[in-house]
Amino acid sequence: MAIEIPTDLTPELVPFAWLLGHWEGVGVLGYADEEERQFGQIVDFSHNGLPYLEYRAESYLLDDQGNRTRQISVETGFWQLDRKQGDEDAGPGLLPGAEKPLLQTAADVEKMRNDDEAFDILATINHPGGVSELYVGVIDGPRIQMATDAVMRGANAKEYTAASRMYGLVNGELMWAWDMAAAGQQMSSHASARLRKVDVAA
């Protein structure tokens, strides 16, 4: 499957180009003593011309026939290269930064490779129930590995202390796996899924 790079994609997001689009599929979830259950998921990775991806994932339980029964979660967040933020970048708050991005060419982006020839990345993922995750990791071609650097929980949120996620593009399908440490348990497998890209009418 050829990876299309939108003409309006800022160079800084080219390493993420294989994620862009609307994805749908099914997977299996469970944790500790919880029974395994099948779920469906819809994932969107989009961009707005700025140097980050916008991420949204909706997940819902499926019955034995593969029909949706109820929605169980929504995640939202932002994914980007992990680099020092400069005066050219937006923020803090609503400060707009410079009109032109810091990394303007493919050559600029290539200089960001780490010692393993991959790119360091940063992702923030927010959940209902008062939980936000900050992930750090690497993107190496069509493969991502990342783990939580910090987890922020509200006073009344359920216990959730750490997680790791892996994403990969295999034969045109987006496959991912999620391990977590929660509810007093050690890090262990929580969920995985296989998604296919779906064209969405404009």
Side-chain angles (χ1 to χ4, degrees):
M1 175 181 171
I3 298 173
E4 296 183 10
I5 300 176
T7 56
D8 59 344
L9 189 67
T10 182
E12 193 163 339
L13 291 183
V14 169
F16 296 96
W18 55 276
L19 284 170
L20 287 169
H22 179 86
W23 303 83
E24 297 184 10
V26 297
V28 176
L29 63 84
Y31 189 66
D33 296 330
E34 293 286 331
E35 65 173 324
E36 287 193 348
R37 305 184 69 174
Q38 188 179 45
F39 72 100
Q41 190 176 58
I42 299 171
V43 174
D44 285 287
F45 286 98
S46 60
H47 73 101
N48 58 11
L50 295 175
Y52 54 79
L53 290 185
E54 295 184 54
Y55 165 76
R56 178 181 173 86
E58 298 183 18
S59 301
Y60 44 86
L61 291 177
L62 300 174
D63 63 21
D64 292 339
Q65 288 72 46
N67 300 310
R68 298 185 192 186
T69 58
R70 62 185 174 92
Q71 188 165 322
I72 51 176
S73 186
V74 176
E75 298 180 333
T76 63
F78 303 97
W79 300 32
Q80 61 197 83
L81 293 185
D82 188 5
R83 61 165 177 79
K84 183 175 179 61
Q85 298 289 291
D87 293 339
E88 296 88 348
D89 295 298
L94 296 179
L95 297 177
E99 185 173 349
K100 293 184 178 181
L102 178 64
L103 305 181
Q104 299 182 35
T105 68
D108 291 337
V109 176
E110 284 298 308
K111 295 175 183 177
M112 301 298 298
R113 289 189 183 271
N114 60 29
D115 292 340
D116 296 320
E117 293 300 311
F119 294 100
D120 295 323
I121 65 169
L122 187 71
T124 55
I125 298 179
N126 304 308
H127 305 259
V131 175
S132 294
E133 302 167 280
L134 171 64
Y135 284 91
V136 295
V138 295
I139 183 169
D140 186 3
R143 181 179 174 87
I144 288 174
Q145 291 182 290
M146 59 187 189
T148 50
D149 184 60
V151 175
M152 182 175 68
R153 292 185 289 133
N156 295 313
K158 291 185 177 181
E159 182 186 345
Y160 181 93
T161 56
S164 64
R165 303 197 192 201
M166 180 178 66
Y167 293 78
L169 189 66
V170 181
N171 296 325
E173 294 183 316
L174 180 60
M175 302 177 68
W176 64 258
W178 178 2
D179 293 354
M180 71 176 183
Q185 302 293 321
Q186 298 295 316
M187 185 81 79
S188 60
S189 177
H190 169 49
S192 62
R194 180 191 300 262
L195 313 176
R196 60 183 179 85
K197 186 173 286 190
V198 177
D199 290 331
V200 179

